[in-house]
Amino acid sequence: MKINPVRGTHDLFGKDIKKFNKIISDVKDIAYQFGFNELVTPIFESTALFKKPLGEQSDVVLKEMYTFKDRNDDEITLRPEYTTPMIRAAISNGLLNNLPVKFFGTGQMFRRERPQKGRYRQFNQINFENFGSNDSFADVEIINLANLLIKKILPNKKIKLHINSLGTRENLINYKKTLSHYFNQNKNFLSSESKDKIQLNPLRILDSKNIEDKEVIDKAPVLIDFLSKENLNEYEEIKKCLNDLDITVYENTSLVRGLDYYCNTVFEFKTNEIGSQDTLIGGGRYDGLIEVLGGKDIPGVGWAGGIERMMLLMDDVQLQNQSIHLAILNQNYKSHAFKIYDFLIKNNLSVFWNYKYNLKKSLSTANEQKAKFIVIIGEDENINNNYTVKNLLNGEQKIKDLSNIMEFIK
Ligand code: AMP
């Protein structure tokens, strides 16, 4: 019986797992540098955590969530995103007492989308969240962090920061009304998909990828005209700070993001090198969301990045294999080999026993796996109680025993 992977899922191995682990390690380094602590949450949560906060008309809630009833008839959903679970966890565990608090996490998310390059049904996200501050420097800091991380993971790649301000929730409500009215007047020129969104979710029409919608969208009222003076000043300050940090910003007035909870600053890091699934990181401010989820009325700002999309752009990771290979030339020398095996392991080194008992095959395995050293255990070594050690990078070879082998290997 052959069972295939479920559509939209993938296994990680070989070069990909090296890239994946490099990203996770870069994320942790930068998180600690910026004072963010890790928060790990369960893969499934109560469905209510996502339904309303993400927006009952959002694509994620309408079409993409993996929701099921468990054996007690509890409504469960595999997490489609990480911001709401992080907030839930911060509230459940009383972590919102000394503000601001800064958390990050990495893990699998689940969305039942149509799979394609850069879009999967199970994928991995990086999340950074700052709870409790409406200082515009919190926005700047979290964007700066994203920018530095992207530079670290993808040096030499062209990635553009798109930014927009949605204004407060009240501004947004007014804007949505005006937008619905405008799209209604022009509905004959819109795609049927966009027509369906006019009443319930007109903002989503703005980032429609349908070419026939473009002309109507280009002439639509722009959100920036609905922003208060205070909002505009804050937006200007954020852009200026980013500029001072040498981060080039591209103002994108049609950037609205797909989930209902965003307000004020929204941003995305995009590339044009991986096809239509071109957003690597997306985020923004979500003042009001923490209160909706049963916490205090405190603001928040954060972002999520897709690990698989970053991997698509990433150069191969060249990691030297740290293992020391053993070439045991005959089964009879096993107990002599075992002494060095035990010695190296107890000295915290990594050792690879290949079960080949043949020099040529052992060398070829060691080279294939890019090992730096091989220890040869043949007849002479067995008689003389020593080992021949070869550095496979420069070819240097020495005879050593347990008292002096470490200096050669280190
Ligand atoms: P979103 O929560 O939709 O803004 O997603 C944040 C980031 O997660 C995106 O910018 C992508 O990099 C990544 N992402 C979202 N959906 C998927 C998916 N289905 N497959 C792979 N990566 C995804």
Side-chain angles (χ1 to χ4, degrees), residues 241-346:
C241 284
L242 291 171
N243 211 32
D244 291 346
L245 291 167
D246 283 331
I247 302 174
T248 312
V249 297
Y250 168 69
E251 282 187 65
N252 180 346
T253 51
S254 58
L255 176 66
V256 290
R257 313 271 307 125
L259 307 175
D260 263 14
Y261 55 60
Y262 287 106
C263 60
N264 294 313
T265 320
V266 286
F267 56 89
E268 287 186 347
F269 285 83
K270 284 171 167 284
T271 168
N272 50 19
E273 291 180 44
I274 51 171
S276 68
Q277 300 306 304
D278 57 358
T279 307
L280 297 175
I281 285 182
R285 208 161 243 296
Y286 44 81
D287 302 350
L289 179 63
I290 297 175
E291 195 182 18
V292 166
L293 294 173
K296 296 182 239 174
D297 181 15
I298 53 173
V301 60
W303 58 256
I307 296 186
E308 282 81 0
R309 289 197 197 163
M310 293 179 192
M311 283 163 59
L312 284 173
L313 267 178
M314 204 170 166
D315 296 327
D316 282 351
V317 179
Q318 297 300 344
L319 292 178
Q320 180 69 47
N321 186 335
Q322 295 302 320
S323 268
I324 298 167
H325 279 232
L326 300 185
I328 307 162
L329 306 195
N330 186 305
Q331 299 255 16
N332 295 333
Y333 313 145
K334 261 185 180 173
S335 67
H336 182 48
F338 207 68
K339 281 186 271 175
I340 183 92
Y341 180 78
D342 183 43
F343 175 83
L344 294 173
I345 292 277
K346 284 188 175 142

Side-chain angles (χ1 to χ4, degrees), residues 85-103:
M86 285 231 185
I87 295 175
R88 200 269 312 132
I91 296 170
S92 306
N93 298 290
L95 305 177
L96 296 173
N97 295 325
N98 294 314
L99 300 173
V101 283
K102 307 182 187 186
F103 290 117

Side-chain angles (χ1 to χ4, degrees), residues 49 51 61 116 118 130 166 223 266 283 294 400 408:
L49 178 64
K51 224 171 175 171
V61 173
Q116 64 181 95
N130 180 340
L166 303 179
L223 184 51
V266 286
K400 298 278 175 189
F408 186 70

Side-chain angles (χ1 to χ4, degrees), residues 378-393:
E379 189 179 0
D380 288 352
E381 289 85 356
N382 193 42
I383 292 168
N384 301 326
N385 198 25
N386 57 25
Y387 304 93
T388 300
V389 198
K390 183 171 183 175
N391 180 327
L392 294 170
L393 293 186

